[in-house]
């Protein structure tokens, strides 16, 4: 963005560390499409080229680089797990820095950009005015079942942060499943949790509630009103969790299910099942009209995490004939081999 900065630390007149913010990551570079449209994406991509090739890459190759984001952040596309890198390492291996021609760089940076979560615009406003301190939050209340049901009746967001298999076996009606154990919990919450609704959590352990509240606060979702454990629930629904072997067997029957693959378009194009429908998870709600409510939908992703989010969204939208492939394509390919 136009106001993005990098900071270089000098010692005795020599650069010793670069804090590269949103510009240069380990294995990736920043995205030019996350700022609201006072500056166009193409212009920002060209400005990013100048920052990288005319400034940062002119620094010493041994200079340590401390990026502003790590693996899983939507501020990049394929940020590596390395918390620290060097200018030389990135010049040699970073995919984006191999496009040394400006026009080629701009086209590459603008191609196949991931979806932008809706909360990004609100985050800008929160950052400008200042966010509340997490340390000032009151203790998160453990809700009595009657309190939880009253909130449910009012239409608050019920966010179940347990693993997908536990959610599928037993969950509150209308709840959204985004597992807290996954490092992308905050990312997917930013896509699908209602920005303006209070949030009641369903957890396996109380520690999960505290972690979920903290992760949600990091993206500006401060309206968590309390939590219950899944053992407290007395009225529950289920979504079948299909083992990979049983899923493959179902494809050979007259009652073959409709396969909904919610991986990215690139994942699906590289390895897909015949006749599967690809709707990447971030696009699911706005493309829900493409799916038949009468068909038996079996939902698939790479390992079962995104598909569990998808089936919870579909169930909340009134789809009844659903199943989730436990273990996803990883499990399917292991069985088929």
């Amino acid at each position: 963005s136009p106001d993005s900065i990098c900071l270089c630390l000098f010692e005795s007149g020599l650069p010793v560390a670069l804090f590269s913010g949103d510009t240069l990551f380990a294995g990736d570079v920043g995205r030019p499409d996350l700022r609201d449209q006072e500056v166009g994406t193409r212009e920002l991509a060209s400005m990013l080229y100048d920052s990288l090739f005319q400034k940062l890459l002119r620094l010493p190759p041994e200079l340590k680089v401390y990026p502003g984001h790590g693996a899983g952040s939507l501020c990049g596309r394929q940020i590596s797990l390395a918390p620290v890198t060097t200018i030389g390492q990135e010049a040699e291996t970073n995919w984006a820095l191999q496009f040394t021609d400006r026009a080629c760089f701009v086209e590459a940076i603008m191609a196949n950009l991931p979806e932008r979560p809706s909360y990004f615009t609100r985050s800008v406003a929160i950052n400008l005015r200042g966010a509340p301190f997490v340390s000032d939050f009151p203790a998160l209340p453990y809700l009595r079942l009657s309190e939880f049901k009253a909130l449910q009746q009012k239409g608050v967001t019920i966010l179940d942060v347990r693993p997908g298999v536990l959610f599928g076996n037993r969950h509150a009606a209308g709840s959204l499943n985004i597992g807290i154990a996954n490092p992308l919990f905050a990312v997917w919450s930013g896509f699908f949790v209602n920005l303006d609704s209070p949030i009641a959590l369903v957890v396996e352990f109380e520690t999960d509630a505290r972690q979920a509240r903290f992760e949600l606060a990091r993206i500006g979702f401060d309206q968590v009103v309390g939590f219950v454990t899944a053992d407290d629930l007395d009225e529950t629904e289920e979504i079948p969790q299909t083992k990979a072997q049983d899923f493959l067997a179902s494809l050979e029957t007259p009652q073959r299910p409709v396969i909904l693959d919610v991986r990215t378009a690139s994942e699906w194009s590289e390895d897909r099942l015949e006749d599967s429908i690809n709707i990447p998870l971030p696009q699911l709600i706005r493309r829900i009209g493409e799916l038949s409510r009468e068909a038996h939908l079996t939902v698939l992703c790479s390992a079962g995490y995104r598909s569990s989010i998808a089936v919870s969204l579909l169930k909340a939208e009134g789809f009844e004939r659903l199943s989730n492939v436990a273990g996803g394509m990883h499990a399917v390919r292991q069985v088929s081999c």
Side-chain angles (χ1 to χ4, degrees):
S1 59
D3 47 7
S4 175
I5 62 171
C6 299
L7 301 175
C8 192
L9 175 66
F10 286 78
E11 189 175 83
S12 302
L14 298 174
V16 294
L18 175 72
F19 301 94
S20 57
D22 293 319
T23 304
L24 177 63
F25 306 127
D28 207 347
V29 298
R31 290 172 56 178
D33 64 318
L34 298 181
R35 190 59 178 262
D36 293 333
Q37 294 301 310
E38 71 268 24
V39 181
T41 299
R42 183 173 295 276
E43 183 180 350
L44 286 175
S46 184
M47 293 166 66
L48 178 61
Y49 177 90
D50 291 333
S51 296
L52 292 165
F53 288 94
Q54 297 181 16
K55 294 181 179 179
L56 300 191
L57 291 186
R58 294 183 179 181
L59 293 166
E62 67 276 10
L63 183 67
K64 288 187 176 181
V65 178
Y66 297 86
H69 298 282
S73 170
L74 280 178
C75 291
R77 301 185 230 197
Q78 50 188 46
I79 306 176
S80 84
L81 293 170
V84 182
T85 184
T86 66
I87 291 293
Q89 173 75 12
E90 295 311 305
E92 183 177 343
T93 63
N94 190 307
W95 72 273
L97 300 183
Q98 310 316 305
F99 297 97
T100 55
D101 175 78
R102 179 190 295 272
C104 293
F105 175 87
V106 168
E107 293 305 319
I109 291 300
M110 292 180 60
N112 301 316
L113 287 164
E115 295 279 331
R116 170 183 164 163
S118 58
Y119 76 90
F120 268 44
T121 297
R122 195 177 77 158
S123 293
V124 172
I126 293 173
N127 288 333
L128 288 171
R129 70 172 182 262
F133 290 103
V134 174
S135 57
D136 291 341
F137 287 0
L140 189 63
Y142 193 132
L143 300 170
R144 296 190 297 271
L145 184 58
S146 59
E147 294 174 316
F148 176 78
K149 287 185 174 181
L151 290 169
Q152 205 173 10
Q153 289 294 320
K154 291 179 180 177
V156 306
T157 297
I158 307 299
L159 180 58
D160 192 319
V161 302
R162 296 175 298 147
V165 171
L166 296 181
F167 174 85
N169 291 339
R170 186 170 179 268
H171 61 266
S175 53
L176 170 64
N177 176 228
I178 306 178
I180 188 60
N182 191 288
L184 296 181
F185 168 79
V187 170
W188 291 117
S189 295
F191 272 109
F192 297 116
V193 174
N194 188 331
L195 293 169
D196 302 313
S197 169
I199 302 167
L201 300 173
V202 178
V203 302
E204 189 175 5
F205 306 108
E206 183 173 347
T207 53
D208 295 335
R210 291 198 294 269
Q211 183 184 354
R213 185 198 205 183
F214 175 73
E215 295 294 336
L216 289 166
R218 293 179 66 193
I219 59 171
F221 290 71
D222 300 327
Q223 63 273 35
V224 180
V225 295
F227 72 96
V228 295
T229 66
D231 291 338
D232 297 327
L233 302 176
D234 62 350
E235 297 177 7
T236 60
E237 299 179 347
E238 65 177 349
I239 297 174
Q241 305 294 295
T242 306
K243 294 181 180 179
Q245 188 169 355
D246 295 333
F247 166 64
L248 289 172
S250 73
L251 302 183
E252 306 301 324
T253 67
Q255 294 77 36
R256 175 188 170 99
V258 174
I259 306 168
L260 173 62
D261 191 324
V262 296
R263 294 177 299 160
T264 64
S266 60
E267 289 175 287
W268 182 74
S269 64
E270 289 172 6
D271 181 23
R272 63 176 179 263
L273 295 173
E274 185 179 358
D275 296 328
S276 61
I277 301 170
N278 177 228
I279 301 180
L281 181 55
Q283 303 173 18
L284 181 59
I285 294 301
R286 69 172 181 263
R287 295 177 58 185
I288 205 165
E290 299 176 25
L291 301 171
S292 168
R293 293 175 182 269
E294 284 70 43
H296 175 197
L297 285 176
T298 296
V299 188
L300 179 75
C301 68
S302 61
Y305 184 80
R306 284 172 288 178
S307 57
S308 190
I309 298 173
V311 292
S312 72
L313 290 166
L314 291 167
K315 188 71 177 289
E317 289 291 328
F319 286 74
E320 294 293 339
R321 302 184 65 195
L322 295 167
S323 60
N324 180 47
V325 180
M329 279 294 285
H330 290 168
V332 168
R333 290 311 182 201
Q334 286 180 343
V335 170
S336 58
C337 289

